[in-house]
Each structure stands twice: as C-alpha cells, then as structure tokens.
C-alpha cells in the first residue's frame, strides 16, 4: 500500500479541509467531487500534490494498487451511491473508508456486501469540524483489524495529537468506529445542553459579558473544554448589524442531523440508561415546538433565580461526570453486546484533542477507566457525587421553583438519586404487573418467581 497517496471522494467543507491536511503532511491527494468546481479550485491551489479527477473511473485509475480511498459524503444514500460508482473499478485488497457520520449498522451492512470482493471497508468517525479536519481531527476507525496497519500511518499523520500521542486508534471491528462517533455526538449534545442550561440560569441576573467572564474563569481550571471555551466567545460576540449581543438575535430553535437521536435509540435498544444524552436530544426537539411554545403563556412571574455562580459550577461539573459516565457506559455495554473488545481508556485518550468534546476531564476519565471500565463504580465518581450532589440539588430546586427548564442537569440529579435510593418503587411495579397480567415477582430473599392471586385475596 502506498502511504503517500490517497483517493478522496467528496470535496465539500470537510473533504476539502482533510485534503489540505493530507497534502500538508506529504500525502498526495487524488480527488473527485460530483460537481467540478471544488475539484478545480483545489487543483489551482495545489497543482503539485493534488490530482483532479472528474469520474470515479479516473480516480481509481490514478491510484496505485492496492488503493486507499476515503469518502466524505453525507450519510445515507450518497454513501451507497459512492460505493456502487467506485466498485466496478476496484480490486481485491483495496481499502475504502467512510469518514462521514454513517449509522453503524449501515457500515456493517456495507462491510458484508463488500466482503466477497475482497475490499476492506472502514467506518471512520471523524470529529473536529472544519478546523479540526484542516489542522488535526480526532479519528475513530473501525473495521477489519488485518487491514488497519495499512491505513494507520496516513491517519496518524493527519490526526490531532495530545502530548505527542496521535488522537486516533484502532477502535474495533464492524461498525464500532461509527458507533463510537455516534455516542461521541450524543455526549456532545448533552455537554452543549448542560452549558445552555447554566447560561439560562445565569442569564437571570447576569449579562452575556458577565457569563462569558465566568465561563472563561471556569475554563482555566478542571472544567476546561473546547465547548465551554467557544461558548465564552459566542457570549462576547456583537451583532454586526448593531443590535448588541449576536446570541440574543438568534432564533431559539435547535436543529440536529440525527446522531444524537440514534444514540438515544441505541441506548433504549441496549436497555441502558443514557437518560441525560436522551434528555439533550429531546430538549432540541422541544425547542422546535414553536406553535405550542407560543400558545403557552408564562403564568407565574416570580423573582429571578439567584444562584451563587460557584454552586452552578459545581452542579455543572457533576452533570458532566454523569454525561460521560453514561456515554462510556454505552460503550461498555455495546462492546459486550457486539463483542468489540473496546479499549475505553484508549477511547477517552484520543478524545483529549481534535474532537468537539475535547476537555481536561478526559485525562482523568482515561486514567479512571484503566482501573474500572464502569465509571459509576469508581471511587472517584463516588467522591465527586458526595461532594457535588448538594450543589446540583440546590440548582434544580431553584430551577423548579422559578420555572427554568434544565432537563439535562435535572436528569443527572434524578439518575444520581435513583442510584442512591434504597427503594425505587419497582416492587410496586412488579406487584401491579403481577396483578393484571400474572407476570410474577420475586419475594425478598428468594430466587423464585411467584404469582399471587391479588384479586381474590382482596376482601
Ligand atoms: C464533530 C461533530 C460533527 C457534527 C456536527 C453537527 O464531532 O465534528 O459532531 O460530526 O456533524 O456537530 O451535528 P448536529 O447537526 O447533529 O448537531
């Protein structure tokens, strides 16, 4: 395999940035895009290292065999169309990499479909947006282990690095690379929503500039994260049209491209409680209910919520720990379900730079995951919970009293309370199930499932 040459299909924002990143690292790019203009622009800018192609056949002919081809096209049908268009010109031993946000079961189907042709197929989660793609993204490649060594040098050359370690590692077989990226995005949604909730609470008695200053201060310590940092920038940005804060001019409706929803769906399918990730997705969904939202007038106008910023800070920290513990819990659970043998500590380590959820906390999590692959079971998590829970409870009490919706932080508190509660009422659920459906229950101290004749014993 020629490590100094790669085919790249799809030269949109991400594809173009990756092409430049590859060329900056001495890897020549043979590129193809459905519309001609992006291909021609790259050729003009990089005449020596970029080969412009205008058909799939040309792209395949220009590459030395075995070929390495990365595609950066939208998830879904465009990926299947790209594979179908390339396939007639490919040979056994060629490697295809899907760098988009494809659904992991689709990636597995494509791997199976290509198996008989001897073509290796990787689902490569890529995080970091346009800037990351250009300067060094975090990458999550999943696919056949035997073919990984061929793509490793190229991926390591262009990845972000953290303390000289590349932010890319072999994730596992099948669709595991895209699965890990999907849950990365689920955690991304939850991190974003948690920051939005803190902003909402602080907005009660702080200006955007004051909130930015607080976030900048938090960002100097253990809470440091890429998302918190960009939020401080956003809060300071002024409207070019002269209306003050640009943020205050933005419509209060959040969109998504589906990865957060898939994360929630997978959590439900795995019967794993990733409630805070689901809450974050649902918060975006509710923001879209514009007609309903405008029909419900505010009925209570109390005094504004006033919380010590440090109380909010502590509540925010605990919420983040729950977000990551649930996200990595999903990894752990999926790894067992699909026999992927995921290295959770290694995944946390590659998240430390390049990706959207990069943050200081991941360093701690990577260490903790070496000791125990369930973050909720670590002494570290127990200690954090004992120290920070009163602050989270205080924030949620205030938010409920003042009608400030904080679904993710509230979800984190509920989950912590559920874990710590000696009685969840599940005994009553079992009794109800047994009453109307003879679904049986277990008596304390017994392994046996038994049915009780509830109706006839009622006097
Ligand atoms: C990343 C991001 C990226 C994602 C966007 C938009 O890791 O670089 O997760 O892959 O596509 O952030 O996601 P939503 O449109 O679903 O918010």
């Amino acid at each position: 395999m020629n490590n100094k040459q790669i085919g790249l299909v799809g030269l949109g924002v991400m594809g173009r940035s990756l092409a430049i990143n590859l060329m900056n690292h001495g890897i020549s790019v043979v590129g193809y895009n459905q519309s001609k203009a992006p291909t021609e622009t790259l050729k003009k800018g990089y005449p020596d290292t970029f080969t412009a192609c205008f058909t799939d056949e040309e792209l395949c002919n220009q590459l030395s065999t075995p070929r390495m081809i990365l595609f950066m096209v939208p998830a879904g049908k465009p990926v299947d169309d790209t594979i179908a268009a390339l396939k007639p010109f490919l040979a056994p031993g060629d490697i295809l990499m899907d760098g988009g946000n494809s659904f992991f079961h689709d990636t597995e189907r494509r791997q199976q479909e290509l198996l008989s042709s001897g073509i290796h197929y990787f689902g490569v989660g890529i995080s970091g947006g346009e800037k990351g793609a250009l300067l060094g993204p975090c990458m999550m490649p999943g696919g056949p282990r035997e073919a990984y060594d061929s793509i490793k040098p190229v991926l390591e050359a262009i990845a972000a690095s953290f303390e000289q370690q590349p932010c890319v590692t072999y994730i596992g077989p099948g669709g595991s690379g895209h699965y890990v990226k999907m849950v990365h995005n689920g955690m991304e949604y939850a991190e974003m929503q948690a920051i939005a909730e803190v902003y909402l609470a602080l907005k009660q008695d702080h200006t955007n500039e004051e909130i930015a200053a607080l976030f900048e201060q938090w960002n100097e310590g253990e809470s440091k994260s890429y998302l918190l940092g960009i939020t401080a920038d956003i809060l300071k940005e002024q409207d070019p049209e002269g209306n003050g804060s640009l943020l205050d001019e933005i419509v209060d409706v959040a969109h998504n491209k589906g990865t957060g929803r898939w994360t929630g769906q997978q959590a439900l399918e795995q019967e794993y409680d990733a409630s805070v990730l689901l809450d974050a997705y649902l918060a975006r969904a509710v923001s879209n209910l514009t007609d309903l939202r405008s029909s419900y007038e505010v009925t209570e106008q109390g005094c504004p919520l006033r919380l010590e910023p440090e109380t909010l800070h502590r509540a925010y920290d605990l919420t983040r720990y729950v977000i990551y513990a649930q996200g990595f819990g999903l990894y752990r659970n999926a790894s067992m379900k699909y026999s992927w043998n995921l290295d959770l500590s290694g995944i946390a380590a590659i998240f430390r730079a390049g990706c959207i959820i990069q943050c200081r906390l991941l360093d701690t999590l990577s260490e903790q995951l070496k000791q125990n692959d369930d973050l909720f079971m670590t002494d570290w998590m127990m200690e954090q919970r004992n120290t920070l829970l009163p602050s989270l409870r205080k924030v949620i009490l205030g938010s409920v009293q003042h009608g400030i919706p904080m679904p993710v932080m509230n979800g984190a508190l509920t989950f912590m309370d559920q874990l710590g509660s000696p009685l969840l009422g599940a005994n009553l659920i079992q009794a109800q199930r047994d009453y109307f459906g003879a679904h049986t229950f277990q008596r304390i101290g017994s392994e046996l499932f038994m049915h009780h004749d509830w109706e006839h014993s009622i006097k």
Side-chain angles (χ1 to χ4, degrees), residues 55-62 85-86 89:
T55 64
D56 296 278
E57 183 173 10
E58 208 185 334
L59 177 115
C60 292
N61 289 340
Q62 288 289 342
L86 288 168
F89 315 109

PDB file of all heavy atoms in Angstrom, residues 55-62 85-86 89:
ATOM      1  N   THR A  55     -14.219  11.680 -12.933  1.00  0.00           N
ATOM      2  CA  THR A  55     -15.087  10.491 -12.892  1.00  0.00           C
ATOM      3  C   THR A  55     -14.519   9.526 -11.850  1.00  0.00           C
ATOM      4  O   THR A  55     -13.339   9.613 -11.482  1.00  0.00           O
ATOM      5  CB  THR A  55     -15.129   9.729 -14.248  1.00  0.00           C
ATOM      6  OG1 THR A  55     -13.816   9.234 -14.513  1.00  0.00           O
ATOM      7  CG2 THR A  55     -15.610  10.606 -15.383  1.00  0.00           C
ATOM      8  N   ASP A  56     -15.354   8.594 -11.419  1.00  0.00           N
ATOM      9  CA  ASP A  56     -14.895   7.585 -10.449  1.00  0.00           C
ATOM     10  C   ASP A  56     -13.822   6.703 -11.082  1.00  0.00           C
ATOM     11  O   ASP A  56     -12.856   6.316 -10.431  1.00  0.00           O
ATOM     12  CB  ASP A  56     -16.077   6.705 -10.006  1.00  0.00           C
ATOM     13  CG  ASP A  56     -17.114   7.502  -9.262  1.00  0.00           C
ATOM     14  OD1 ASP A  56     -16.925   7.718  -8.068  1.00  0.00           O
ATOM     15  OD2 ASP A  56     -18.111   7.927  -9.884  1.00  0.00           O
ATOM     16  N   GLU A  57     -14.001   6.420 -12.366  1.00  0.00           N
ATOM     17  CA  GLU A  57     -13.052   5.556 -13.067  1.00  0.00           C
ATOM     18  C   GLU A  57     -11.669   6.212 -13.098  1.00  0.00           C
ATOM     19  O   GLU A  57     -10.652   5.569 -12.809  1.00  0.00           O
ATOM     20  CB  GLU A  57     -13.559   5.291 -14.494  1.00  0.00           C
ATOM     21  CG  GLU A  57     -12.662   4.338 -15.246  1.00  0.00           C
ATOM     22  CD  GLU A  57     -13.248   3.932 -16.594  1.00  0.00           C
ATOM     23  OE1 GLU A  57     -14.258   4.527 -17.021  1.00  0.00           O
ATOM     24  OE2 GLU A  57     -12.689   3.013 -17.209  1.00  0.00           O
ATOM     25  N   GLU A  58     -11.661   7.500 -13.421  1.00  0.00           N
ATOM     26  CA  GLU A  58     -10.399   8.234 -13.481  1.00  0.00           C
ATOM     27  C   GLU A  58      -9.699   8.191 -12.117  1.00  0.00           C
ATOM     28  O   GLU A  58      -8.495   7.948 -12.031  1.00  0.00           O
ATOM     29  CB  GLU A  58     -10.730   9.690 -13.851  1.00  0.00           C
ATOM     30  CG  GLU A  58      -9.634  10.413 -14.580  1.00  0.00           C
ATOM     31  CD  GLU A  58     -10.023  11.878 -14.773  1.00  0.00           C
ATOM     32  OE1 GLU A  58     -11.238  12.205 -14.802  1.00  0.00           O
ATOM     33  OE2 GLU A  58      -9.094  12.698 -14.859  1.00  0.00           O
ATOM     34  N   LEU A  59     -10.486   8.397 -11.064  1.00  0.00           N
ATOM     35  CA  LEU A  59      -9.926   8.378  -9.709  1.00  0.00           C
ATOM     36  C   LEU A  59      -9.261   7.027  -9.424  1.00  0.00           C
ATOM     37  O   LEU A  59      -8.121   6.972  -8.945  1.00  0.00           O
ATOM     38  CB  LEU A  59     -11.024   8.663  -8.677  1.00  0.00           C
ATOM     39  CG  LEU A  59     -10.558   8.596  -7.219  1.00  0.00           C
ATOM     40  CD1 LEU A  59     -10.659   9.965  -6.546  1.00  0.00           C
ATOM     41  CD2 LEU A  59     -11.368   7.607  -6.401  1.00  0.00           C
ATOM     42  N   CYS A  60      -9.966   5.958  -9.756  1.00  0.00           N
ATOM     43  CA  CYS A  60      -9.417   4.623  -9.478  1.00  0.00           C
ATOM     44  C   CYS A  60      -8.180   4.356 -10.329  1.00  0.00           C
ATOM     45  O   CYS A  60      -7.221   3.740  -9.861  1.00  0.00           O
ATOM     46  CB  CYS A  60     -10.479   3.557  -9.707  1.00  0.00           C
ATOM     47  SG  CYS A  60     -11.798   3.662  -8.488  1.00  0.00           S
ATOM     48  N   ASN A  61      -8.178   4.820 -11.574  1.00  0.00           N
ATOM     49  CA  ASN A  61      -7.022   4.591 -12.451  1.00  0.00           C
ATOM     50  C   ASN A  61      -5.789   5.365 -12.004  1.00  0.00           C
ATOM     51  O   ASN A  61      -4.666   4.943 -12.240  1.00  0.00           O
ATOM     52  CB  ASN A  61      -7.364   4.974 -13.901  1.00  0.00           C
ATOM     53  CG  ASN A  61      -8.333   3.983 -14.503  1.00  0.00           C
ATOM     54  OD1 ASN A  61      -8.459   2.854 -14.000  1.00  0.00           O
ATOM     55  ND2 ASN A  61      -9.042   4.379 -15.542  1.00  0.00           N
ATOM     56  N   GLN A  62      -6.000   6.512 -11.396  1.00  0.00           N
ATOM     57  CA  GLN A  62      -4.876   7.353 -10.972  1.00  0.00           C
ATOM     58  C   GLN A  62      -4.177   6.814  -9.714  1.00  0.00           C
ATOM     59  O   GLN A  62      -3.065   7.213  -9.410  1.00  0.00           O
ATOM     60  CB  GLN A  62      -5.368   8.778 -10.663  1.00  0.00           C
ATOM     61  CG  GLN A  62      -5.756   9.599 -11.878  1.00  0.00           C
ATOM     62  CD  GLN A  62      -4.557  10.019 -12.709  1.00  0.00           C
ATOM     63  OE1 GLN A  62      -3.420   9.992 -12.238  1.00  0.00           O
ATOM     64  NE2 GLN A  62      -4.802  10.369 -13.959  1.00  0.00           N
ATOM     65  N   ALA A  85     -20.663   3.372  -7.380  1.00  0.00           N
ATOM     66  CA  ALA A  85     -19.973   4.006  -8.516  1.00  0.00           C
ATOM     67  C   ALA A  85     -18.500   3.597  -8.573  1.00  0.00           C
ATOM     68  O   ALA A  85     -17.929   3.445  -9.655  1.00  0.00           O
ATOM     69  CB  ALA A  85     -20.099   5.525  -8.388  1.00  0.00           C
ATOM     70  N   LEU A  86     -17.876   3.397  -7.420  1.00  0.00           N
ATOM     71  CA  LEU A  86     -16.441   3.047  -7.391  1.00  0.00           C
ATOM     72  C   LEU A  86     -16.211   1.562  -7.676  1.00  0.00           C
ATOM     73  O   LEU A  86     -15.215   1.181  -8.299  1.00  0.00           O
ATOM     74  CB  LEU A  86     -15.844   3.374  -6.011  1.00  0.00           C
ATOM     75  CG  LEU A  86     -15.646   4.842  -5.640  1.00  0.00           C
ATOM     76  CD1 LEU A  86     -15.322   4.959  -4.145  1.00  0.00           C
ATOM     77  CD2 LEU A  86     -14.508   5.466  -6.463  1.00  0.00           C
ATOM     78  N   PHE A  89     -14.431  -0.426 -10.543  1.00  0.00           N
ATOM     79  CA  PHE A  89     -13.031  -0.103 -10.847  1.00  0.00           C
ATOM     80  C   PHE A  89     -12.084  -0.507  -9.716  1.00  0.00           C
ATOM     81  O   PHE A  89     -10.908  -0.197  -9.741  1.00  0.00           O
ATOM     82  CB  PHE A  89     -12.895   1.398 -11.150  1.00  0.00           C
ATOM     83  CG  PHE A  89     -13.975   1.895 -12.064  1.00  0.00           C
ATOM     84  CD1 PHE A  89     -14.993   2.720 -11.605  1.00  0.00           C
ATOM     85  CD2 PHE A  89     -14.002   1.468 -13.393  1.00  0.00           C
ATOM     86  CE1 PHE A  89     -16.014   3.145 -12.445  1.00  0.00           C
ATOM     87  CE2 PHE A  89     -15.026   1.888 -14.242  1.00  0.00           C
ATOM     88  CZ  PHE A  89     -16.038   2.726 -13.770  1.00  0.00           C
TER      89      PHE A  89
END
